[in-house]
């Protein structure tokens, strides 16, 4: 993990005159992003709202978000890294050959214009979505984009932010960081946190058949993971906590129904910019919360003869 | 009930200086007598009031951001392996929350003040503080770049600004007010900085850093907060910045203030090549102005990560080091930067920084006004405090260390000429009694009747760093939490907050502005008091 | 039946986490949402306070919560490398507990982020 130059969404609302979405389709996946945080909001230093802002969309296909953009740049699939590298060279005034650019699906003129707009912005932001961070070369892509944003600060104010997906996935990162020091994929089998993406990430573990039991909460991997990983979950004792009986529940040994987060379960969640928000549930669930159930499982395990690292 | 017998007690607030004296504890407090209960034989040991950290960064968005940036540091340092009575975790420059509590308690510190909390993410800070066991906690809310406040100062509405500030303090469930690079962070949001104390902050006509400093110090005094304005001066870390610091102290005349991490603000020279110590100039002025307290912000050589709400400084550091850079601007309120860093003995700038921290501790003559900190994790991780204690108490050890510096560095610092050695009693002042008093925590930092029973008991040893790194016993709120180097009980700490008086109608003023500038619902902005584990509302 | 109104409710369906939603509920279900987008509205209306599912299932058969908790604890306790996974659609409070549990059972804790 390298650095990241970022901000809260209110900074974008109040200041951003150049908004770039890269590899995402906010119009359909984050429907209120434009209206609540970015494009159409009138901000303190962008009083005319949409008129004061320019939006550039970079994606491999024309999604409904393109309609909202002033400029749509269609990149060939898997060429994001090349585009990002070219932009980094251009903003530093390095020479770039038109041929290398050609394979990205964009022209040198388009990229020069893009680079100039970024340098000239008063406050620019790069939002990047799954299309960039979840495709081939995902870590390289994100790193290149974060570097681009950091380097633009030699010319103007520029920030970057991932368009985090569902629910409280951001909170998961935040909580794991303060409890274990790492954002995800943490192995506690030696009694202290170890982190090695690729080794301790769920799909890798399941594909290798390393786990011999699983507790799933706040996710339905049965609907999203590669089949061999799901097959392994079906082989081992899997426990699912969910407000509904899900795909994964059906292959699990144990399912426990829980209250729905934010609807009937109270607590805290984090927005994509890591701002914590309280939940105000409107309903009272007949089921316990996930928090409750996990705590009860904890207590039930804690009653058994203690295990300490090195004794198992 | 607990009795500590036979120990040499250092309780400077009560003028006890190494006398052998029994300490009795009941219901978490120091009492005059107890019947029965456990007795700890402290014969041949030293008894101190529990340490108090006046300025540290242990929780919240910025620190947690840093945690993600330095996995290599997590691996470099010994991990904390889970035990029967404690959680596992990571140590190093940015320990995980549980480990933070264990490490502080493990060296006899029982109260910490988290120095930088944006209101917008205060809920996050409190969540982490709740997961920081054993120690009592307070925090300071960042107000010096809050645009709602700056706009009021621009309009000359100081009265209203006071009500807004009071409301904000309570919204953040804070204990004090912190000002970081006043005006400079607001300017940074346009990639600029506020350098001159009397120059308008970019985006304003009348608001200058000096004006913000004076206004906030007055607000804090008028509200009667137990802790004065906690100020991180402008131009942190820059060669020649001692002038800014002197000017800042002038602005503060007649007002209380605590100057954070003074080490970073006492440099001469015009650039990195000519940078030198100006600790004498800063200390002289400071010595003559009893309205001020400060903490060292001392630097130790080695790896760490720097993290401050001072965005411009962090961008500079990034350009200097070419290493990773994190930056997080928070709407309307503040920003912060994060850069991993190594202080090297042979590096001239680092050598000057190392010396200046120690020089200030040695040149400021009243230990009640200068406190031991490293601005954790900026100068070094807090768990390295015992090394600084040794440097302060042992001039020969200091001389040995000076030999490791480049000879050129010696011409730029005063440290070789300073012979002062701290006494144990003075150490008790700068680590406990002094910071407790500066924080306005009357029941902390001493062992008189009625005080919180927070006690650290050390072996009396010649090896000072070791002795302070491994207390024999640590007692927190009357419970033995550390014994023979082990965690005996991970008690919960308390969270100190203040509720300054404000006109309830001020919400009607803030609400529409809030809706205009922020992106969350106004009603979701204030932190609920229930979020704090054991809230303790102090009067003001 | 009288509708209860919840203001400034927070939608957790996507990463926008809009916290300005007004919810009208009749005790069992949310009948109206204000300011939520279509995805958010569907999310709120899709969950009710009805007892549509058994408290728990063990091997596909309805079971009590207590039994299910015991069974879960037994499986996790006996595993060599249990996995705690997901953490997307749960609160931070639940995430905290999940990390604590993962530590207790000596497992791996991971979220969607690793996918
Ligand atoms: S209301 Fe729509 S945009 Fe807002 S969090 Fe819910 S799904 Fe996302
Ligand atoms: Zn600090």
């Amino acid at each position: 993990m390298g650095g990241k130059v970022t901000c809260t969404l209110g900074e974008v609302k109040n200041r951003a005159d150049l908004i770039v979405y890269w590899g995402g389709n906010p119009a359909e996946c984050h429907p209120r992003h434009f209206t609540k945080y970015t494009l159409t909001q009138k901000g303190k230093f962008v009083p005319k709202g949409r008129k004061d802002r320019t939006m550039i969309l970079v994606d491999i296909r024309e999604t409904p978000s393109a309609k909202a953009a002033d400029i749509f740049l269609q990149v060939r699939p898997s060429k994001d890294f090349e585009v990002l590298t070219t932009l980094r060279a251009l903003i530093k005034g390095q020479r770039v050959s038109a041929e290398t650019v050609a394979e990205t699906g964009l022209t040198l003129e388009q990229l020069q214009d893009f680079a100039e707009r970024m340098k000239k912005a008063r406050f620019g932001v790069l939002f990047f979505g799954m299309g960039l961070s979840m495709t081939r070369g995902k870590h390289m892509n994100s790193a290149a984009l974060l570097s681009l944003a950091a380097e633009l600060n030699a010319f103007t104010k520029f920030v970057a932010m991932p368009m985090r997906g569902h629910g409280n996935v951001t909170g998961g990162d935040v909580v794991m960081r303060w409890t274990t020091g790492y954002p995800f994929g943490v192995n506690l089998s030696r009694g202290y946190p170890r982190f090695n993406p690729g080794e301790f990430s769920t799909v890798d573990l399941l594909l290798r058949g390393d786990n011999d039991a699983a507790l799933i909460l706040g996710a339905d991997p049965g609907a999203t993971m590669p089949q061999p990983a799901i097959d392994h979950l079906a082989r081992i004792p899997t426990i699912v906590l969910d407000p509904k009986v899900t795909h994964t529940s059906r292959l699990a040994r144990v399912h426990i129904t829980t209250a729905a987060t934010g609807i009937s379960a109270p607590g805290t969640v984090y927005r994509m910019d890591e701002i914590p928000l309280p939940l105000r549930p409107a309903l009272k669930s007949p089921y316990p919360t996930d928090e409750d159930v996990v705590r009860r499982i904890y207590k039930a395990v804690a009653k058994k003869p203690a295990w300490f690292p090195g004794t198992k | 009930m607990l009795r500590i017998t036979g120990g040499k007690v250092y309780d400077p607030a009560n003028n006890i200086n190494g006398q052998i004296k029994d300490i009795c504890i009941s219901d978490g407090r120091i009492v005059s007598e107890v019947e029965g209960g456990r007795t700890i034989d402290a014969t041949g040991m030293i008894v101190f009031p529990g340490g108090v950290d006046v300025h540290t960064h242990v929780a919240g968005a910025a620190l947690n951001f840093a945690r993600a940036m330095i996995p290599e540091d997590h691996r470099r340092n010994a991990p904390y392996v889970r035990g029967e009575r404690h959680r596992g975790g990571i140590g190093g420059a940015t320990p995980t929350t549980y480990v933070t509590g264990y490490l502080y308690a493990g060296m006899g510190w029982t109260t910490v003040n988290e120095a930088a909390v944006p209101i917008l993410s205060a809920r996050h800070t409190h969540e982490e503080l709740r997961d920081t066991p054993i120690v009592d906690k307070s925090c300071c809310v960042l107000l010096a770049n809050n645009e709602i406040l700056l706009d009021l100062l621009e309009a000359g509405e100081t009265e209203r600004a006071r009500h807004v500030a009071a409301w904000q303090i309570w919204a953040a469930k804070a204990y004090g007010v912190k000002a970081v690079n006043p005006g400079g962070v607001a300017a940074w949001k346009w990639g600029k900085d506020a350098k001159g104390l009397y120059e308008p902050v970019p985006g304003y006509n009348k608001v200058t850093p000096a004006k913000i400093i004076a206004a906030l110090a007055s607000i804090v005094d008028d509200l009667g907060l137990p802790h004065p304005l906690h100020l991180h001066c402008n131009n942190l870390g820059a060669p020649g910045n001692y002038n800014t610091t002197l000017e800042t102290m002038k602005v503060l005349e007649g007002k209380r203030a605590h100057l954070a991490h003074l080490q970073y603000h006492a440099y001469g020279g015009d650039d990195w090549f000519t940078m030198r110590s100006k600790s004498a100039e800063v200390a002289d002025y400071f010595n003559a102005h009893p309205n001020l307290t400060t903490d060292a912000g001392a630097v130790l050589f080695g790896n760490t990560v720097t993290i401050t709400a001072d965005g411009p400084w962090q961008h500079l550091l990034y350009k200097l080091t070419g290493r990773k850079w994190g930056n997080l601007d928070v709407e309307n309120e503040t920003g912060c930067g994060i850069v991993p860093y190594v202080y090297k003995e042979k590096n001239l700038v680092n050598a000057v920084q190392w010396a200046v921290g120690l020089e200030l501790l040695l040149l400021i003559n009243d230990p009640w006004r200068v406190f031991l900190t490293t601005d954790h994790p900026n100068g070094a991780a807090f768990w390295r405090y015992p090394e600084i204690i040794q440097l302060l108490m042992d001039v020969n050890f200091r001389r040995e260390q000076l030999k490791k510096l480049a000879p050129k560095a010696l011409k730029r610092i005063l440290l070789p000429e300073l012979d002062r050695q701290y006494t144990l009693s003075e150490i008790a002042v700068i680590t406990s009694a002094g910071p407790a008093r500066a924080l306005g925590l009357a029941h902390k930092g001493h062992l008189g009747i009625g005080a919180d029973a927070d006690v650290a008991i050390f072996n009396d040893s010649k090896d000072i760093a070791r002795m302070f790194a491994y207390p024999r016993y640590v007692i927190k709120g009357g419970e033995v939490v550390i014994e023979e180097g082990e965690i005996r009980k991970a008690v919960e700490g308390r969270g100190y907050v203040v509720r300054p008086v404000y006109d309830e109608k001020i919400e009607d003023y803030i609400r529409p502005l809030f809706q205009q500038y922020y992106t969350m619902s106004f009603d979701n902005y204030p932190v609920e008091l229930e979020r704090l584990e054991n809230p303790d509302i102090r009067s003001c | 039946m009288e509708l209860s109104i919840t203001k400034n409710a927070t939608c957790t369906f996507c990463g926008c986490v809009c916290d300005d939603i007004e919810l009208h509920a009749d005790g069992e279900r949310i009948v109206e949402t204000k300011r939520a987008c279509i995805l958010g509205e569907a999310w709120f209306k899709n969950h009710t306070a009805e007892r549509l599912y058994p408290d728990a299932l063990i091997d596909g058969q309805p079971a009590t919560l207590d039994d299910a908790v015991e069974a879960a604890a037994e499986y996790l306790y006996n595993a060599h490398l249990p996995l705690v996974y997901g953490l997307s659609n749960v609160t931070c409070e639940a995430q905290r507990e999940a990390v604590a549990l993962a530590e207790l059972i000596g497992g791996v804790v991971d979220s969607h982020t690793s996918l």
Side-chain angles (χ1 to χ4, degrees):
Chain A
M1 279 159 291
K4 184 164 83 176
V5 179
T6 191
C7 66
T8 61
L9 285 164
E11 286 293 290
V12 178
K13 163 174 157 172
N14 286 319
R15 293 168 199 272
D17 56 349
L18 179 67
I19 299 170
V20 182
Y21 286 95
W22 197 308
N25 176 13
E28 288 184 316
C29 302
H30 294 86
R32 293 183 68 203
H33 209 260
F34 291 153
T35 54
K36 192 162 190 284
Y37 302 124
T38 63
L39 212 51
T40 60
Q41 276 285 348
K42 291 192 172 72
K44 191 169 182 183
F45 304 103
V46 273
K48 289 193 263 130
R50 182 67 184 89
K51 284 203 204 78
D52 280 340
R53 311 192 201 250
T54 303
M55 172 180 153
I56 300 177
L57 178 74
V58 186
D59 207 346
I60 54 166
R61 68 188 114 67
E62 191 167 341
T63 64
S65 296
K67 277 205 281 302
D70 298 296
I71 299 170
F72 170 59
L73 298 174
Q74 186 159 5
V75 185
R76 289 219 181 100
S78 319
K79 291 293 172 198
D80 298 280
F81 185 76
E82 286 73 6
V83 176
L84 286 163
T85 315
T86 307
L87 288 170
R88 288 175 67 189
L90 287 172
I91 65 160
K92 288 180 211 145
Q94 291 162 359
R95 279 161 54 115
V96 173
S97 82
E99 293 90 90
T100 28
V101 173
E103 63 176 40
T104 65
L106 300 173
T107 65
L108 187 55
E109 291 68 52
Q110 280 176 305
L111 289 182
Q112 272 163 341
D113 175 63
F114 191 1
E116 276 314 302
R117 283 176 189 275
M118 289 196 286
K119 280 166 79 170
K120 288 214 189 89
R122 265 200 314 163
F123 185 116
V125 55
L126 279 159
F127 289 105
F128 58 106
M130 311 269 247
L132 184 76
S133 58
M134 293 284 189
T135 50
R136 191 182 68 85
K138 57 187 179 177
H139 298 301
M140 304 263 288
N141 285 349
S142 308
L145 182 134
L146 293 171
S147 301
L148 172 64
E151 287 158 6
L152 278 161
N153 281 271
F155 307 96
T156 184
K157 184 81 195 179
F158 228 97
V159 296
M161 192 186 303
M163 295 288 283
R164 303 303 299 271
H166 279 271
N168 195 21
V169 47
T170 306
D173 278 31
V174 171
V175 170
M176 269 197 261
R177 255 149 47 202
W178 90 61
T179 51
T180 72
Y182 303 109
F184 59 85
V186 180
N187 186 336
L188 295 157
S189 65
R190 291 196 193 151
Y192 66 89
R194 288 184 300 147
F195 177 64
N196 194 6
E199 189 181 356
F200 306 141
S201 322
T202 295
V203 173
D204 301 275
L205 286 166
L206 292 175
L207 291 183
R208 287 198 306 267
D210 284 355
N211 298 117
D212 50 356
L215 170 68
I216 314 283
L217 67 161
D220 186 8
T224 55
M225 266 189 203
Q227 192 58 41
I230 298 167
D231 292 343
H232 189 68
L233 281 178
R235 270 196 295 275
I236 60 176
T238 292
I239 300 132
V240 173
L241 272 45
D242 204 281
K244 302 197 173 198
V245 174
T246 65
H247 257 81
T248 322
S249 310
R250 295 210 177 83
L251 55 84
R253 299 281 165 85
V254 181
H255 160 94
I256 298 176
T257 311
T258 53
T261 302
I263 293 173
S264 50
T268 313
V269 296
Y270 281 70
R271 206 162 74 179
M272 62 167 72
D273 57 352
E274 300 198 354
I275 294 299
L277 293 161
L279 297 174
R280 299 176 187 271
L283 298 174
K284 225 174 117 34
S285 175
Y287 304 109
T289 60
D290 294 290
E291 178 190 354
D292 249 8
V293 174
V294 180
R295 198 179 291 125
R296 287 182 64 166
I297 298 174
Y298 182 98
K299 284 191 182 140
V301 174
K303 267 198 242 122
K304 301 176 190 287
W307 162 82
F308 289 101
T311 61
K312 190 161 173 179
Chain B
M1 270 180 305
L2 187 64
R3 177 190 294 272
I4 303 160
T5 65
K8 268 201 250 172
V9 176
Y10 289 88
D11 181 10
N14 295 303
N15 288 316
I16 293 168
N17 183 12
Q19 283 99 304
I20 306 236
K21 186 174 179 288
D22 284 6
I23 302 285
C24 298
I25 294 170
S26 176
D27 288 329
R29 307 250 165 189
I30 309 282
V31 294
S32 55
E33 243 339 295
V34 283
E35 295 281 328
R38 178 176 177 189
T39 297
I40 289 177
D41 182 2
T43 308
M45 296 179 206
I46 285 168
V47 181
F48 263 42
V52 177
D53 200 330
V54 76
H55 186 110
T56 183
H57 303 280
V58 290
L63 189 86
N64 211 32
F65 190 149
R67 286 188 182 111
M69 267 176 65
I70 52 167
E72 65 283 355
D73 183 80
H74 301 343
R75 295 195 188 98
R76 196 161 43 222
N77 288 279
Y80 231 76
V81 181
R82 179 174 84 85
E84 212 173 329
R85 298 182 203 88
H86 66 269
R87 297 282 300 266
I90 295 293
T94 56
T96 48
T97 54
Y98 295 98
V99 176
T100 297
Y102 307 147
L103 287 171
Y104 261 115
M107 62 174 189
W109 257 251
T110 47
T111 306
V112 299
N113 180 42
E114 159 57 54
V117 184
I119 315 170
L120 195 60
S121 59
R123 191 174 270 114
H124 176 172
T125 308
H126 287 293
E127 281 197 88
E128 286 199 31
L129 289 177
R130 190 181 54 186
D131 276 354
T132 307
I134 307 181
V135 292
D136 288 341
K137 294 143 286 199
S138 59
C139 61
C140 291
V141 63
L142 295 161
L143 294 185
N145 294 283
N146 186 293
E147 287 156 34
I148 294 183
L149 276 179
L150 297 194
D151 290 352
L152 283 170
L153 296 183
E154 176 86 359
E157 294 201 52
T158 39
E159 168 80 11
R160 185 174 270 165
R162 191 181 75 227
H163 288 285
V164 169
W167 184 90
Q168 289 170 325
I169 293 164
W170 179 244
K173 297 298 172 285
Y175 179 77
V177 173
K178 168 89 173 293
V180 171
N181 186 2
V185 182
W188 167 244
K189 299 205 170 154
W190 297 120
K192 301 193 173 62
D193 195 359
K195 294 235 186 283
L197 276 194
Y198 296 98
E199 283 164 37
V201 171
Y204 293 90
N205 294 316
K206 298 198 197 113
V207 174
T208 61
K211 192 163 180 174
I212 302 172
I213 293 164
L216 280 178
S218 302
I219 286 174
V220 170
D221 283 352
D222 291 349
L223 292 173
L225 301 193
H227 181 50
L229 177 66
H230 197 111
L231 175 62
H232 156 147
C233 298
N234 298 68
N235 286 330
L236 174 136
N241 66 6
Y242 81 106
N243 279 315
T244 309
T245 310
L246 294 175
E247 279 181 51
T248 304
M249 292 196 275
K250 284 189 196 118
V251 172
L252 288 165
E253 249 162 63
K255 304 181 175 76
R256 297 181 307 158
H258 176 84
L259 305 181
H261 38 68
L262 200 55
Q263 179 275 126
Y264 286 106
H265 303 276
Y267 307 147
D270 304 317
D271 52 33
W272 299 108
F273 306 102
T274 56
M275 179 176 152
R276 58 191 309 114
S277 165
K278 283 288 176 184
S279 56
E281 286 79 352
V282 171
D284 280 350
Y285 190 97
F286 182 90
N287 280 334
H289 291 81
N291 55 316
L292 303 172
T293 56
T294 189
D295 62 87
V299 155
L300 290 170
F301 298 113
N303 278 287
T304 192
V305 55
T306 64
I307 145 182
T308 83
D310 197 331
W313 158 246
Q314 294 287 348
H315 185 230
L316 185 68
L317 206 56
Y318 161 67
K319 286 194 289 185
L320 287 171
T321 61
R323 293 183 69 175
K324 293 183 208 173
W325 175 40
N327 184 79
L328 170 62
D329 287 347
V330 178
E331 62 210 57
N332 262 289
E333 296 180 6
T334 183
C336 83
I338 298 147
V339 178
Y341 197 77
V342 194
Y343 292 97
K344 299 188 182 121
E345 279 144 347
K346 296 293 180 222
N347 175 309
L348 278 184
V349 170
N350 296 162
V352 170
Q353 293 177 308
W354 174 79
V356 169
L358 298 169
E359 288 167 9
L360 288 167
L361 281 158
L362 295 165
L363 289 169
I364 293 174
N365 45 36
D366 181 2
W368 286 92
R369 294 203 288 128
V370 61
F371 315 127
L372 176 55
T373 68
T374 54
D375 189 20
H376 165 79
N378 289 301
F382 65 82
W383 42 265
R384 297 183 66 190
Y385 288 171
E387 296 172 46
I388 301 174
I389 297 178
Q390 183 175 16
L391 286 161
L392 294 175
M393 290 187 71
D394 184 346
V395 69
N396 292 326
F397 177 67
R398 220 151 62 211
R399 298 234 159 91
E400 286 304 308
Q401 300 307 304
L402 279 164
K403 288 185 190 150
K404 297 182 187 163
L405 307 185
K408 260 200 286 183
L410 300 179
K411 299 199 193 80
R412 306 190 177 191
I413 58 178
L414 302 174
L415 195 59
E417 296 144 44
L418 304 178
D419 295 332
R420 180 175 166 198
Q421 300 191 94
Y422 267 69
T423 62
L424 277 172
S425 184
E426 286 174 330
I427 295 295
V429 176
I430 65 165
T431 60
S432 174
R437 190 175 284 179
L439 283 168
L441 292 169
H443 55 304
K444 295 285 184 195
H446 71 101
L447 299 172
I449 307 298
D452 280 2
D454 301 346
V455 190
I457 305 174
F458 303 97
N459 287 323
D460 194 354
S461 155
K462 292 252 167 321
D463 186 346
I464 300 165
R466 200 185 150 73
M467 149 181 168
F468 279 103
Y470 301 102
R472 283 288 290 272
Y473 302 92
V474 178
I475 292 146
K476 167 68 197 359
E479 309 239 31
V480 179
V481 291
I482 306 284
E483 189 169 346
E484 312 293 348
E486 278 187 23
I487 295 163
R488 286 291 141 96
K489 195 166 185 190
V491 297
E492 282 172 7
R494 267 176 291 174
Y496 295 117
V497 286
V498 290
R499 185 172 194 164
V501 179
Y502 55 84
D503 179 359
E504 302 279 342
K505 286 203 283 297
I506 198 68
E507 281 199 8
D508 300 338
Y509 174 79
I510 304 172
R511 185 184 292 267
L513 290 174
F514 186 92
Q515 278 158 354
Q516 213 178 321
Y517 300 149
Y518 283 75
T519 47
M520 71 191 278
S521 294
F522 183 68
D523 292 326
N524 289 334
Y525 184 55
V527 177
E528 309 80 352
L529 189 61
E530 304 79 65
R531 298 234 165 210
L532 280 70
E533 189 91 68
N534 298 299
D536 185 338
I537 304 177
R538 313 300 297 179
S539 55
C540 49
Chain C
M1 157 146 204
E2 189 137 334
L3 291 182
S4 66
I5 295 177
T6 308
K7 291 193 173 156
N8 303 309
T10 298
C11 174
T12 63
F13 187 74
C14 85
C16 286
V17 189
C18 301
D19 72 330
D20 58 352
I21 316 284
E22 186 173 312
L23 300 173
H24 296 208
D26 69 2
E28 277 218 318
R29 51 182 73 236
I30 292 162
V31 293
E32 195 187 335
T33 62
K34 288 195 176 149
R35 283 183 291 279
C37 70
I38 0 170
L39 299 180
E41 180 172 1
W43 159 252
F44 279 114
K45 291 186 174 169
N46 185 16
H47 288 86
T48 71
E50 296 160 305
R51 193 177 267 286
L52 294 178
Y53 305 96
D55 285 340
L57 297 168
I58 299 178
D59 296 323
Q61 300 305 308
T64 65
L65 176 63
D66 288 346
D67 287 350
V69 165
E70 276 309 319
E74 190 65 23
Y75 282 132
L76 294 172
Y77 177 75
N78 287 320
H80 285 277
L81 189 64
L83 169 70
V84 175
Y85 172 78
L87 308 186
S88 236
N89 254 322
V90 293
T91 61
C92 293
E93 288 75 3
Q95 290 162 345
R96 259 173 99 228
E97 297 296 331
V99 176
L101 176 62
E103 189 180 310
L104 182 71
I105 58 182
V108 171
V109 56
D110 191 20
S111 79
H112 244 62
T113 307
S114 82
L115 268 191

